[in-house]
Amino acid sequence: MIRIDFEAQEIEIVGPEGGRRHPLASPEAFAILSEAWIRSGWANRYSYSFTWLGRPIIQLPEDLVRLQELIYRLKPDVILETGIAHGGSVIFHASLCRLIGRGRVIAIDREIRRHNRAALEAHELAPLVTLIEGDSVAPETVGQAHSLIADGENVLLILDSDHSRAHVLAELEAYAPLIRAGGQIVVADGVMATLAGMPGAGADWAWNNPKSAVAAFLERHPEFEPAEPPCPFNEGGVPSGGSYWPGGYLRRVR
């Protein structure tokens, strides 16, 4: 249980072995409150309240701000993403490609709803986007995506479709070979591992989640290692205010 004492400017964590108190201005208090905010925000669908250049994006702003820094650093030739939904992330990635003057987006989804496809195809950034409809791990879909990427192109892979352990692991196996040394993969929604027991969460989320898939993939592939989300400027010294993508950054080292 969390107790906040605004008069004393303290936060207390109360458990079976007693309580631990921290100054409200401390990094420890910030981490505790961030975790509580993530849980409450997820339950209240907070991420469903944002758009990017006209399209619903369904992501946390903090995750997007850190992701744009990674895209700016890598300057990929291709951003390959699985999971489209309303297309906000597609347009987000395409807008960054336009801004830095480099790159294009290939986006895959099992079902691209007609109104979402129409909106994406009519968008100003449509020339930078290729849409593929199909199961992201089906051989024909994987083959089509691979055929659109030339040898030697710098690919940033972002996985945000079916979040089950088996599916994410299959996506990693299918598309990781496109990543060259120094390139990165971002796997969304590892936060599911900490949401088990919350209203609306699956009973198996504690193990059946993207974070678990990443761990299994890293065990099999020593050419990849965990990476931290970009944080080049951090005067406060606090690493994160909460993310839906914990443990979701991977880097190819060889």
Side-chain angles (χ1 to χ4, degrees):
M1 181 171 62
I2 299 174
R3 291 177 178 164
I4 302 174
D5 186 336
F6 286 108
E7 184 175 343
Q9 293 295 297
E10 288 184 331
I11 185 169
E12 182 180 14
I13 302 295
V14 181
E17 299 179 359
R20 291 179 291 115
R21 299 179 73 90
H22 302 282
L24 202 54
S26 67
E28 292 83 3
F30 183 77
I32 293 165
L33 291 172
S34 294
E35 182 178 353
W37 179 83
I38 283 289
R39 289 170 176 266
S40 180
W42 181 85
N44 287 283
R45 298 169 66 86
Y46 171 69
S47 63
Y48 285 73
S49 58
F50 301 100
T51 59
W52 187 266
L53 300 182
R55 300 305 302 154
I57 195 164
I58 316 179
Q59 302 289 0
L60 289 187
E62 174 152 336
D63 285 327
L64 295 176
V65 170
R66 296 197 187 280
L67 179 59
Q68 65 78 29
E69 185 66 26
L70 180 65
I71 292 171
Y72 179 69
R73 288 182 175 188
L74 293 178
K75 294 182 171 56
D77 298 302
V78 179
I79 299 174
L80 174 60
E81 65 172 306
T82 63
I84 293 175
H86 298 279
S89 61
V90 175
I91 298 304
F92 177 79
H93 301 140
S95 69
L96 291 170
C97 291
R98 174 69 59 83
L99 183 64
I100 63 178
R102 184 185 184 91
R104 66 189 189 280
V105 178
I106 300 172
I108 304 170
D109 204 302
R110 183 179 287 116
E111 178 189 6
I112 306 174
R113 294 179 181 176
R114 184 178 301 175
H115 63 282
N116 290 328
R117 178 185 287 276
L120 289 172
E121 291 179 345
H123 200 278
E124 299 93 324
L125 294 168
L128 295 177
V129 174
T130 299
L131 302 175
I132 299 176
E133 186 166 19
D135 186 333
S136 60
V137 298
E140 59 273 19
T141 306
V142 175
Q144 184 179 357
H146 277 249
S147 73
L148 295 171
I149 300 170
D151 291 341
E153 285 197 298
N154 179 18
V155 178
L156 171 62
L157 176 62
I158 302 173
L159 303 180
D160 190 19
S161 60
D162 179 335
H163 298 307
S164 67
R165 182 184 188 277
H167 188 88
V168 175
L169 186 54
E171 286 183 326
L172 285 165
E173 296 288 356
Y175 298 108
L178 293 167
I179 309 303
R180 67 188 192 187
Q184 293 205 21
I185 300 172
V186 179
V187 181
D189 288 326
V191 71
M192 287 170 56
T194 65
L195 295 174
M198 293 286 293
D204 61 351
W205 280 16
W207 65 268
N208 191 17
N209 60 69
K211 196 172 183 179
S212 176
V214 167
F217 177 79
L218 289 173
E219 286 183 2
R220 303 178 188 177
H221 294 274
E223 70 273 23
F224 284 89
E225 67 177 11
E228 292 297 321
C231 189
F233 177 74
N234 188 7
E235 274 191 359
V238 178
S240 174
S243 171
Y244 280 180
W245 306 345
Y249 286 79
L250 294 77
R251 180 188 300 109
R252 184 157 196 163
V253 292
R254 65 176 187 271

